[in-house]
Amino acid sequence: MHSEQVLAFLDEHPELLQQVAARYGLQPSPQNGERVVVSFVERQMLELKDQNRQLEAQLQQWVERGQDNDRILAKLHRLTLAQLAARGLESRIAALRGSLRQEFQLERMALRLWHPAADGAGEHYNAQSEVQGLARNLAAPYCGPYVNDEVLSWFPPTPVLQSFAQVALRGSDGQAFGILVLASDDAQRFTFDMHTQYLSQIGELVSAALLSALEAQ
């Protein structure tokens, strides 16, 4: 049978080519509502292009995440410098409040200390309360919509706060001597599923800075 005869036969029986496509390295593919035959090599190229697009999207996500981390680290660095520049307990508390406002756009912060040397720290001193037990039990920062009534009373009634971060302040012996609470009227600012690595670092930094000031008094 000559090639012209084969082609003529296939023209008369196009369904046969669809049936034997895989046998000859061809794959049927829909196009404009019809079934056409695409070579196996072309199909591989299309799949590789699709995988490449997925990898590019994933790489872009990693780049953006890295840039976000860089920005947070720069903010933590400036917060650290502000604490080093401040002298005395009240000065460091004021510097902390200013850094949280300027660097992290957090307007609502509450701090309570029960270290013996903090009895002159005014509203920041908390001699006896259930919050001390709460701080002792915070193995990691808590993020979410709930705080107890005592903690909530540390903030003005408006705006209505929707999410909170509670960070225990600990000495070198691991014992809690205070608690830092951050609050927001944005329900998505502090959520149960958020990573708390940077909050932990803030807690360690604030703990060291305030404890140094307390012990120097």
Side-chain angles (χ1 to χ4, degrees), residues 141-176:
Y142 161 86
C143 294
Y146 307 117
V147 291
N148 65 26
D149 291 340
E150 181 181 354
V151 172
L152 190 60
S153 71
W154 299 343
F155 297 93
T158 56
V160 177
L161 301 175
Q162 302 290 332
S163 63
F164 302 85
Q166 299 180 82
V167 185
L169 305 180
R170 301 182 183 278
S172 58
D173 59 358
Q175 297 300 310

Side-chain angles (χ1 to χ4, degrees), residues 106 143-144 163-165 182-184 186-192 194:
L106 285 168
C143 294
S163 63
F164 302 85
L182 310 176
S184 174
D186 179 1
Q188 299 304 311
R189 186 64 189 269
F190 301 111
T191 58
F192 285 128
M194 72 181 295

Side-chain angles (χ1 to χ4, degrees), residues 18-216:
Q18 300 286 343
Q19 294 170 7
V20 300
R23 179 176 178 180
Y24 295 100
L26 305 173
Q27 290 189 2
S29 175
Q31 188 178 60
N32 298 326
E34 300 179 357
R35 300 286 289 182
V36 298
V37 174
V38 178
S39 72
F40 182 69
V41 173
E42 185 178 354
R43 171 62 62 179
Q44 283 187 315
M45 289 298 296
L46 292 173
E47 291 177 354
L48 287 173
K49 288 180 179 179
D50 184 58
Q51 291 176 6
N52 186 55
R53 283 193 294 269
Q54 294 178 14
L55 289 173
E56 287 180 347
Q58 189 177 48
L59 177 60
Q60 183 60 31
Q61 289 179 349
W62 287 344
V63 169
E64 292 175 355
R65 187 175 302 171
Q67 292 172 340
D68 288 341
N69 288 340
D70 286 344
R71 284 190 286 269
I72 294 174
L73 287 174
K75 293 176 180 181
L76 285 174
H77 178 65
R78 290 191 291 270
L79 188 156
T80 302
L81 293 177
Q83 287 297 300
L84 290 173
R87 292 291 182 269
L89 181 62
E90 290 299 330
S91 179
R92 287 188 173 175
I93 293 174
L96 172 62
R97 189 180 300 277
S99 293
L100 291 172
R101 180 183 298 113
Q102 181 176 349
E103 303 293 347
F104 298 95
Q105 291 72 56
L106 285 168
E107 298 290 338
R108 306 296 177 185
M109 179 207 90
L111 178 71
R112 293 297 184 272
L113 307 170
W114 45 88
H115 189 283
D119 58 359
E123 68 175 24
H124 303 299
Y125 182 63
N126 189 298
Q128 293 291 332
S129 77
E130 63 184 64
V131 176
Q132 295 186 25
L134 184 154
R136 284 194 296 270
N137 293 326
L138 280 177
Y142 161 86
C143 294
Y146 307 117
V147 291
N148 65 26
D149 291 340
E150 181 181 354
V151 172
L152 190 60
S153 71
W154 299 343
F155 297 93
T158 56
V160 177
L161 301 175
Q162 302 290 332
S163 63
F164 302 85
Q166 299 180 82
V167 185
L169 305 180
R170 301 182 183 278
S172 58
D173 59 358
Q175 297 300 310
F177 68 89
I179 187 169
L180 172 66
V181 183
L182 310 176
S184 174
D185 56 358
D186 179 1
Q188 299 304 311
R189 186 64 189 269
F190 301 111
T191 58
F192 285 128
D193 58 349
M194 72 181 295
H195 295 291
T196 59
Q197 174 187 353
Y198 292 121
L199 282 171
S200 295
Q201 291 180 1
I202 289 175
E204 292 172 0
L205 168 63
V206 173
S207 294
L210 297 187
L211 192 60
S212 174
L214 287 167
E215 293 176 345

